[in-house]
Amino acid sequence: MSPNSIDRIIVAGGGPTGLIAALSLANQDIPVLLLEQQDAPQDHRRATTFHPPTLEYLDALGMVDAVLDDGRITPVWQFRDRHTGVVAEFDLSALKDETKYPYRVQCEQMELNRALYAKLDNHPNVEIRFSHEVLGAEQDGDSVTVRAKTPNGEESFAGRYVFGADGSRSSIRKSLGVGFDGFTYDEKVVQYGTTFDVSEAMPDIAGVAYISDPDEWCVILHLPEYWRVTFSSRDGEADDVAVRDDVAEARMAAFFGKSGAVVELHRNIWAIHQRVAEDFRKGRIIIGGDASHINSPMGGMGMNSGVHDAVSFADKMGQIWRGEADESLLDRYTRQRRHVALEDVRQQTIRNTKFIAEKDPGERKNAHDAMRAIAEDPQKSYGFMMGSSMIAGLRAANALD
Ligand SMILES: Cc1cc2nc3c(=O)[nH]c(=O)nc-3n(C[C@H](O)[C@H](O)[C@H](O)COP(=O)(O)OP(=O)(O)OC[C@H]3O[C@@H](n4cnc5c(N)ncnc54)[C@H](O)[C@@H]3O)c2cc1C
């Protein structure tokens, strides 16, 4: 592929969404130029939950082993009350006739990123440029021009289309000129990684547990080498204080009642939001992943839906590239993926966040009773698992015209 050829797709951003889009396009013999602002693959700890449809897509791309080998297979997950224990438990093995992967996998998103970069590095249809910060994109009737800050100064890159997967502050979304409406939660999430065996303090805990409490809620995820414990930020506590060693140790020891037993490995703090872009496409400029929607991490859906966006976009782009469909197919991408973001992921993650964080005693009781009733009824439980595993939402979206 000539680096200056216009016959290529430019992908802005090399997170999970951009990398999956690049690989899916390249596998269809479509040349790709990927521009990433960092000088190396991202290595921060964010997503860990992979849902069944995502595992199926990774399987189709020959990438599922990257997640299965480095991850922990987790068929059972729970909603809990901090003091009374399990409120509702869901065993995804019940979905074995719906999916080849009837479980969640807990694996760091950076492990998938590393494997994808390694795969793309050797791909004849892909050129990756690190240290290229995309500044914006313009378009005319048959091409796009993407401007980027590079080690050689500002440069322009031409292509047929650009897929903006450049994260929540997306420059490509700004070039589209669309709103990113929604809200930001008052509280942030504080994550601690620990080798302390949480099951010593909570013997019946599942590998994924959302623990409700009006004063101190918590999410616990069991990864292969350690446990990740997520709290909300505390009123008036500065970010740098929340992630200090002594503060982390004290908070963990108090929560688990195991003073001195806590070894923490990493600490992060993140703001959380619910926002969906007004449109995902104008002409030759398309956005996906966090560039187009961001949500609370409760339910583990942001990265998963970014991967689904990437696959949906690449599949449609392939049809257009080969002359099997016209460009209006990209409007279907927006209709399908925006529908999931608004009607599925947003609703579920708001519900989960409310379940764990609700302070009003009446509302809390209602939320717990409702969840208990779902778990106790096999039919409702099945439907709930189809939704929370992202299977039902994806099928509904894919059926949209
Ligand atoms: C605490 C927390 C826990 C989470 N847990 C889960 C989970 O369990 N499951 C789940 O599905 N989701 C989860 N998420 C959400 C998930 O991390 C994101 O949805 C996911 O990273 C989005 O992937 P992306 O590729 O769209 O964006 P990003 O991962 O943000 O990647 C964007 C990439 O673009 C690059 N970039 C940015 N700007 C530019 C630019 N101008 N030019 C070039 N490159 C640029 C960045 O460097 C980055 O490499 C969680 C989020 C948080 C905060």
Side-chain angles (χ1 to χ4, degrees), residues 12-18 35-38 42 44-51 106 109 113 117 132-135 165-171 189 191 221 228 230 270-272 288-291 293-295 297 299-306:
T17 306
L35 304 175
E36 164 58 46
Q37 70 176 2
Q38 304 287 340
Q42 55 172 241
H44 48 230
R45 296 170 190 272
R46 274 199 281 170
T48 58
T49 294
F50 288 77
H51 288 291
Q106 295 305 126
Q109 83 179 53
N113 283 356
Y117 271 112
H132 279 54
E133 180 190 348
V134 170
L135 303 172
D166 47 344
S168 58
R169 296 188 180 146
S170 171
S171 301
V189 297
Q191 297 179 316
L221 307 169
R228 176 173 293 166
T230 302
W270 301 90
I272 55 172
D290 275 18
H293 46 76
I294 44 177
N295 52 267
M301 295 185 165
M303 173 197 63
N304 283 270
S305 52

Side-chain angles (χ1 to χ4, degrees), residues 155-361:
E155 291 185 55
S156 291
F157 301 89
R160 291 288 172 211
Y161 297 85
V162 60
F163 184 61
D166 47 344
S168 58
R169 296 188 180 146
S170 171
S171 301
I172 299 296
R173 185 185 65 242
K174 287 169 194 155
S175 295
L176 278 183
V178 295
F180 199 36
D181 289 339
F183 64 91
T184 297
Y185 288 89
D186 291 338
E187 296 168 326
K188 296 181 178 176
V189 297
V190 185
Q191 297 179 316
Y192 301 139
T194 178
T195 54
F196 162 62
D197 183 359
V198 169
S199 66
E200 274 179 27
M202 296 179 182
D204 61 348
I205 195 156
V208 172
Y210 299 92
I211 304 179
S212 130
D213 188 69
D215 302 318
E216 185 147 61
W217 57 258
C218 180
V219 177
I220 296 183
L221 307 169
H222 194 183
L223 283 110
E225 309 285 330
Y226 68 96
W227 296 76
R228 176 173 293 166
V229 178
T230 302
F231 296 112
S232 82
S233 58
R234 294 190 279 212
D235 278 353
E237 188 171 76
D239 291 1
D240 58 341
V241 172
V243 296
R244 234 172 44 201
D245 281 352
D246 58 328
V247 173
E249 291 279 348
R251 193 164 184 185
M252 295 275 281
F255 190 85
F256 293 109
K258 292 264 176 186
S259 183
V262 177
V263 182
E264 56 82 26
L265 296 174
H266 68 84
R267 295 142 289 142
N268 296 304
I269 184 159
W270 301 90
I272 55 172
H273 320 264
Q274 293 285 355
R275 295 183 187 278
V276 177
E278 193 176 13
D279 202 343
F280 288 9
R281 177 222 172 193
K282 280 192 181 163
R284 294 174 176 272
I285 304 177
I286 304 98
I287 52 174
D290 275 18
S292 54
H293 46 76
I294 44 177
N295 52 267
S296 152
M298 304 308 153
M301 295 185 165
M303 173 197 63
N304 283 270
S305 52
V307 169
H308 304 176
D309 293 345
V311 170
S312 174
F313 165 72
D315 174 58
K316 292 172 175 65
M317 194 73 252
Q319 294 179 52
I320 295 165
W321 199 265
R322 293 186 293 275
E324 298 161 9
D326 66 43
E327 239 180 56
S328 65
L329 190 58
L330 292 174
D331 290 330
R332 188 163 179 229
Y333 164 80
T334 301
R335 284 194 295 277
Q336 293 178 332
R337 299 310 307 159
R338 202 165 173 272
H339 176 85
V340 168
L342 277 171
E343 307 301 333
D344 189 40
V345 171
R346 182 184 163 95
Q347 308 300 332
Q348 294 204 57
T349 56
I350 286 177
R351 178 204 60 213
N352 295 344
T353 309
K354 190 169 160 57
F355 177 89
I356 56 169
E358 182 59 58
K359 289 187 186 304
D360 178 82

Side-chain angles (χ1 to χ4, degrees), residues 378-396:
Q379 216 177 336
K380 285 186 187 156
S381 172
Y382 195 89
F384 180 84
M385 288 190 280
M386 288 290 284
S388 57
S389 298
M390 303 185 80
I391 300 171
L394 184 61
R395 285 185 189 169

